[in-house]
Structure formats: C-alpha cells, structure tokens
Amino acid sequence: MSVTPKTSPERTGPAAEPPTLRRATLGTSDIVFFVVSAAAPLTVMAGVAPLAIVLGGIGAPAGYLIAGITLVIFAVGFTTMSRHVRNGGAFYAYIAQGLGKPAGIGAALLAMVGYNGMEIGVYGLLGSATAETAEALWGVHIPWLPVSLAGLLIIWYGGFRSIEFGAKLLGVLLVAETGILVLLAGGVLIKGGANGLSAASFAPGNVLVPGTAVVLAFAFTAFTGFESTAIYRREARDPGRTIRRATYIAVAFLGLFYAFVVWTVIQAFGNDEVVKAATDDTGGLFFAAITTYVGGWAADLMHILIVTSILASLLAFHNAINRYGLALAEEGVLPKTFARIHRRHRSPYVVGVAQSLLGLTVVLAFALAGADPYTQLLLWVNTPGGIGLMALQLLAAIAVPFYFRRITHTEGVLRTVVAPTVAAVLLAAAIWLVASKIDVFTGASSTVNTILLAIVPVTFVVGLGLARRLRRSRPEVYARFGAEPEPEQPAGSAAVPAQADPAQ
C-alpha cells in the first residue's frame, strides 16, 4: 500500500498518492484505552455486577478472576499469532490462515455482525441511562430516542477524526470512570467495610455454588472487545510488541479490577447482608455504597460518568468496526468505496458513515416498533453480538495450532499448541454457559431467545456460502482473501506464511 508523502499530506490532484492510516501512531497505553473502554468497566460494575451478586452470592468476584484467567490463556496463542500474521483483518485473517478461506470469510461476516451488534444495542442503553440520570439528578424527564440519535452523531464525529483524537478522548473518559470506582473502593477499605474486611468471597465453599455458572456467563461478556488490540496493528508503534503488551495488560487489568471492585462492594454491605441489599435494589447498589462511604456528591458524579462510560464504549466499538470494514473493503469483499481514507484525519470515514447509518436504521426501527431501549434494543441486539465475538475467539483459538503446523517458526509448543487448545476448551464451555443462561441476559420468551441464539451459527453458515460464491464468481478476490500485505519493514520475521488454502 502506498504511503502519503510527509511533506504534503494535504495535496490533491492526479499526482497525489492515496492517503493511508497513520503508521506508528498508537502506543501500548493508547490501544489499552481503546480496548478497556469498549468493555465499559463502570457500566459493567454498576449495571451488571449487582445481579451477579444476587445470583452467585459473595463468591461473585471469583467468577471475574476465572474468566480473566481463561482469556489470558487465550491471549497466549492469539498474541503469538499476531507476531506472524500482519493482515489488518485480525480475527478473520487468523482464522483464514489457520482454518482456510471459507472459515475466514464466515468469521469476517460474523465479526461484522458481532461488533455491530455490540455497538448498536448500546445506543439503547445510552438513551435509557441518560434519561435515568436526568431524572435522578434534576427531576427532568427526557425521551430516550433524541439522546440515542445525538449519540450516533457524536460517535460518528469521533470516528471521523484522527485516531490520536480518539485515543486521547478515550484516555480521559476511561480515567474518569475507573477513578470513581477506585474512589468507592478506597472509601470502603479506609472505613473497613460494614463488618471488617473478609476474604470469604474467594473461599471454595462460596465459589463452588450453583449460581457461579451464571456469574461466569456474566463475567465472560464483561471482557467483550479485549481482542480488538490486533485491529490497530497498522497504526501501532512496534506492532509486534505493542499488540502483545496491550492485550495482556487489558485482560489482566479487567480481570483484577472487576474482581477487586465487586469484592469491595460486598465488603461495603457485609457478607451476610449484601445479597439482600442487591436483591432489594439491584440498580442502586453501587450508588448506595458510594453514598455511604464517600458521599452523595460522588453518587451524583457516578450517574454522570456512567453516561460518559457508555459513550466511550460506543466510540471504541465504532473505531473497531471501521477498521474491520476497511480491511474487508481492501480485500474486495465489501465495495471499494469503503476503503477510502480521509486525507487529513487518516480515518476510514466512508465505512464510518455506513456504520452510523446502519445504527440509525436499527435504532429508528426499534423506536417505531415501540420497543424498550434497554430490555429490547440493548439486550436483544447485544446478546447475539456478544456470543458472536466469543465464537470468534473460539475459532481463533482452534486456528492457532493449525497455522503453526503449516509454517516454519521458532515458537514453543506451549504457545502454539497447549495454550490454544486449553483456551478452546474453556471458551467452548463459556459459550455453552452463556447460551444456557440466555434467558437471564434477555428476559425474553423462548422463541425470541431461540432466534437470538440462531443468529450466530446462521451468520457463519451464510459466510461459508458467500465464500463458495466468491470462489466461483470472483476467484481473484477469493485467492487473496486473508493474505499478508507487503512487508512493513525489512525481512527478518521467523514466519514463512503458507500459500496453500487448507480447505482446498
């Protein structure tokens, strides 16, 4: 791919070279901001963790640790492969090079559905959370739809601007939302909780209970988006190291932080009282805790920061979707128009517009149908999106050993076989847990839940059909799908990319 001349990035005309994404722009911390912001820690803690305590008891913090450990194991093979596969499509490229082009194209379609589902559903949460905040703080009732539409415009603009702009904005928002949780935890620890601090949450007798299965299902979905580190490879400084570090830091931070915050909230009410408190006021548990241990002003601030947390999550997912769309357009799977990059901001602005229009269409459709922004727009759209991304993680874990069997490399068997295999088993179990507890996530009828679950395998099968069609009608697109780009730097990599498609 050509590079825009440094001396005149603004010039236009026949002689101007097409602009590219900004190279060597994002450091480890920048990518961590994108990944952790997508997970929306404050929203996950205040909105979901109380329900995990209701269903799993005081052993809920251990569920987040178990999920984190599982994803760290997955990250071993994932980051090892990221050093060898430089294609901007990340998940689908890994799967294509490990399991073959048909599986890769199926994964590409699943990635687009999954990431769009995770983002578009959250516009419903933005509308409902903003309305609740306005009601709680100022006694003002505002409808959710105008808020969601304004959010669409804000997120489009954030994605349209440069990646540096997005990284700086997410850095500020992430520090704010994690800071309020640290403030809550600090207040609880300084005052010693309700009855003194206790480690009973991690005792086997409190962890190995029937409700832990539900907690694990919640916990795995709380990490959604961490794998998007590899999407920013083309914009990362020293991508071979940056991607690996950012992935491990993001997973470790989320796992430890989630477990710590949930544990401190349990201490705030006491082991014997917290389940009752969470049951009586699930949505207000964190606000009650921070009011008691820090002050009412902190609870008001938490209300506001939940809204900014949601905006940060939306922007992070929007940027990830834009880069997946850009990669697929460059592959020739999506229209070439989507591969256009803004000459000044170096952002994939055309695919950003398309993604925003898709979000607008879905949000308006739910609004016109009279759907609830939280129980229907958020939960019904997010659930298949989250399961789809977990399915991509599973496919990527399976792809790792197959890929390294086909290339010459110096990686150890622990990274290329053992860790990916263990991760695949654990991820399969996690998907089964989430699918078996889907009624807890959606609160919908069995018919609706069946449809939501079916979206994931149906999408993948449609992708396989698309692969067959591309192979017949556009063989040149099929042949180069998931292939490696031109070298980013002088040769020296230990990998020798395989040329044959294992599916043929």
Side-chain angles (χ1 to χ4, degrees), residues 62 88 98 120 145 237 273 277 294 314 341 380 420 466 470 474 498 504:
I120 294 172
L145 182 58
R237 295 193 293 269
E273 299 295 330
V294 181
L314 285 166
I341 294 174
W380 289 12
L466 175 62
L470 283 175
R474 302 174 66 191
Q504 297 178 6

Side-chain angles (χ1 to χ4, degrees), residues 87-115:
N87 186 291
F91 263 149
Y92 79 71
Y94 295 0
I95 293 166
Q97 295 205 27
L99 301 180
K101 289 182 173 61
I105 294 172
L109 190 59
L110 189 56
M112 292 301 291
V113 171
Y115 278 105

Side-chain angles (χ1 to χ4, degrees), residues 441-453:
F441 287 90
T442 65
S445 66
S446 58
T447 301
V448 171
N449 287 336
T450 299
I451 294 172
L452 295 179
L453 285 175

Side-chain angles (χ1 to χ4, degrees), residues 151-185:
L152 278 159
L153 184 61
I154 292 170
I155 299 307
W156 163 79
Y157 179 73
F160 172 73
R161 291 291 302 273
S162 67
I163 194 69
E164 299 101 320
F165 173 84
K168 291 175 182 177
L169 178 59
L170 289 179
V172 171
L173 297 179
L174 182 61
V175 168
E177 67 174 296
T178 55
I180 195 71
L181 290 172
V182 170
L183 187 64
L184 165 60

Side-chain angles (χ1 to χ4, degrees), residues 138-159:
W138 306 294
V140 176
H141 174 73
I142 57 175
W144 70 269
L145 182 58
V147 176
S148 297
L149 296 180
L152 278 159
L153 184 61
I154 292 170
I155 299 307
W156 163 79
Y157 179 73

